[in-house]
Amino acid sequence: GAGDGRPRMYTEILEQPESVDRTLRGRLDERFGTAHLGGLDLDARELRAIRRVKILGCGSAYYVGQMGALLVEELARIPADAEAASEFRYRNPIIEPDTLYVAVSQSGETIDTLLAVEEIKRKGGRVIGLVNVVGSAVARACDGGIYLHAGPEIAVASTKALTTMYVGFALLALQLGRVRDLSVADGKRLVAGLQKLPAQIGQVLATEDRIAELAATLARSESMFFVGRVRGFPVAREGAQKFKEISYRHAEAYQMSELKHGPLALISPDVPTVAIVPDDELTDRNVAALHEIAARGGPLVVVTHAGVDLGALEVERIDVPKNETELDPLLLTVPLQLLAYHAALVLGHDVDKPRNLAKSVTVE
Ligand code: BG6
C-alpha cells in the first residue's frame, strides 16, 4: 500500500474522483459543447476524413476499448470496434488509410500493444495513443495521443487507469462527433455529464459497505456469470475479469441476449449472475432476461439505476447515479471493482499480487 497499510488497489479505487477530474482538466469546451485534445495533432479537416476507428489494447485496456468503440459510434456515427492487440497483430491485419487506429495502454509498455502499433505504422497507418505513462514506448511510437493523467497505477488489477481511459474515449468521441453531426445542444449535454462524473464516482464509492456484503455472498460460489447488453456488455467483461483475476473464482462474461442460446443451462441456485441493467432504451429487454434467470433459481445481483422497476423479481440491487445514457458505463463499472476487491479480501487473497499475473507483460 501507500504506507498506510491499505492495499494499493483499494487506494487506487478511492482515487478515481481525482484521477477522472485530472483527465478532464482543461479539455472541455462549454461554449461549443466539445473537447480540445491538443495532443492528437489533427485539425478539423483531418478529423472529418476519418471513416473508421479501430481500437487495440490488452486486458482491461481492451474491454474499455469496447466501451470506447460504442461511444465513437453513438456520438460520431463512425464505425468503430475494439480488438485484442495480440489477435490483431497475429492475423495480418488490413491497414486502411482513412482509419484512425487507437492504442490503449496504462503502462505504454505492453508488448502486444506496442507491436500492433509498429505493424500499423510500418504499413503507413495513423495511430494515436490513450496512454497513462508519459514518454512510454507506446506513447513514443504513436503519431499523437491523449495522456490520461491518472497518476501512477501500481496494483496489478487496473482500476483508475480504466476509468480515465473511458473518459479519454468520451472526449475523443465528443470531438469527432462535434466536427460531424452531433449538435451543439447534445455536445453541451455531454460536457455537463462529464463534469458530473467525479462527484458521482464518489457517490458510488460511498455505497461500499453494501457492495462488500454482496461480495461476501458471491465469494461463496465457485462459478458465476456477468451479463450485459450493448453498452452493458463490456462493463460485464471488465467486471468478470476483475473478479476472476483477484478472487480466483470462475466468472464468465456473456451477452445478455446470448444466454438463452447456451449457458442458461448452467444457471442454478449455485451459479449467481451479476447483471448490468442501465436505465436506457434496452431496459425492458434486460428485465425480461432477468426473469429467465430467476425462473431457473439463479441468484441475481443487478447493477442498475434507481429509475429501473424490477417488479416482483427477488434480486440484490446496486443502484448507481444516472448520467447521460451514453456515459453510463463508467459509473456501472465502479461497483464491480469494489465487488471483486471485497470478494478477494473475504477469501484472504493478496489483492495487490494476484497469482500468475504481472502488471505489464513486456516480453513475448
Ligand atoms: C495485463 C494486466 O497483463 O495487462 C492488466 O494484468 C492490464 O491489468 C493489461 O489491463 C494491459 O496493460 P496496459 O499497461 O497495456 O494497459
Side-chain angles (χ1 to χ4, degrees):
D4 54 10
R6 299 198 301 205
R8 184 68 208 186
M9 180 188 179
Y10 185 63
T11 302
E12 290 171 1
I13 289 173
L14 298 188
E15 279 170 358
Q16 290 176 110
E18 295 82 47
S19 55
V20 162
D21 191 53
R22 278 196 302 274
T23 310
L24 290 169
R25 198 167 300 160
R27 286 168 164 167
L28 291 176
D29 180 334
E30 293 181 17
R31 174 182 250 187
F32 288 100
T34 188
H36 293 302
L37 296 165
L40 289 189
D41 210 19
L42 295 168
D43 64 25
R45 199 167 301 167
E46 289 169 310
L47 288 171
R48 282 188 61 108
I50 295 163
R51 304 275 299 264
R52 186 188 297 278
V53 174
K54 177 87 191 178
I55 299 159
L56 302 161
C58 297
S60 293
Y62 162 43
Y63 301 138
V64 74
Q66 288 197 310
M67 301 179 201
L70 281 163
L71 276 166
V72 169
E73 291 205 342
E74 287 189 283
L75 304 190
R77 303 303 294 159
I78 302 172
D81 77 311
E83 184 174 344
S86 50
E87 288 287 294
F88 176 83
R89 76 183 181 88
Y90 285 122
R91 66 173 179 79
N92 190 18
I94 298 163
I95 304 301
E96 300 165 302
D98 46 9
T99 294
L100 179 68
Y101 295 88
V102 185
V104 193
S105 177
Q106 188 286 127
S107 63
E109 304 293 343
T110 300
I111 191 77
D112 284 324
T113 309
L114 180 61
L115 292 179
V117 171
E118 288 176 354
E119 174 73 357
I120 298 162
K121 297 277 300 185
R122 199 183 56 75
K123 291 180 172 173
R126 186 197 288 274
V127 199
I128 62 161
L130 236 71
V131 175
N132 193 36
V133 178
V134 175
S136 56
V138 171
R140 281 182 278 123
C142 287
D143 296 297
I146 304 169
Y147 276 125
L148 302 170
H149 307 305
E153 189 184 72
I154 290 153
V156 171
S158 181
T159 54
K160 67 174 181 170
L162 179 126
T163 44
T164 58
M165 286 166 182
Y166 184 88
V167 170
F169 276 117
L171 294 168
L172 176 66
L174 182 59
Q175 191 174 19
L176 287 171
R178 288 288 292 122
V179 294
R180 289 180 172 71
D181 295 332
L182 189 75
S183 69
V184 65
D186 274 330
K188 286 182 175 180
R189 176 176 67 77
L190 291 157
V191 165
L194 286 166
Q195 286 167 332
K196 275 194 260 172
L197 284 173
Q200 288 183 317
I201 294 171
Q203 286 172 257
V204 179
L205 298 176
T207 65
E208 179 180 353
D209 290 351
R210 159 100 180 124
I211 297 169
E213 276 172 34
L214 298 175
T217 309
L218 283 177
R220 289 202 284 268
S221 298
E222 290 294 335
S223 185
M224 69 201 75
F225 284 101
F226 280 67
V227 298
R229 190 189 305 264
V230 190
R231 282 178 216 105
F233 179 55
V235 175
R237 291 190 88 181
E238 169 59 15
Q241 169 95 337
K242 212 96 295 169
F243 207 93
K244 74 185 115 190
E245 69 183 340
I246 58 172
S247 80
Y248 316 144
R249 295 301 200 203
H250 173 237
E252 185 172 351
Y254 233 83
Q255 288 110 334
M256 189 95 82
S257 49
E258 280 288 293
L259 267 186
K260 59 179 174 295
H261 300 299
L264 206 49
L266 290 173
I267 298 291
S268 77
D270 301 325
V271 180
T273 299
V274 178
I276 314 305
V277 183
D279 186 357
D280 62 14
E281 74 285 5
L282 298 168
T283 308
D284 292 350
R285 296 304 312 151
N286 287 330
V287 173
L290 297 186
H291 279 278
E292 295 189 9
I293 295 164
R296 282 145 189 99
L300 278 160
V301 173
V302 184
V303 184
T304 185
H305 295 120
V308 172
D309 180 4
L310 296 178
L313 272 173
E314 261 186 55
V315 305
E316 300 290 351
R317 62 189 288 169
I318 300 171
D319 287 347
V320 302
K322 181 82 180 119
N323 198 289
E324 298 304 325
T325 295
E326 301 92 325
L327 301 175
D328 280 334
L330 185 142
L331 294 168
L332 294 163
T333 301
V334 174
L336 304 183
Q337 302 170 337
L338 287 168
L339 207 54
Y341 172 75
H342 282 286
L345 274 195
V346 164
L347 293 167
H349 302 317
D350 182 346
V351 291
D352 284 340
K353 292 194 187 59
R355 68 185 182 209
N356 305 340
L357 293 176
K359 179 63 178 156
S360 48
V361 180
T362 56
V363 287
E364 285 192 82

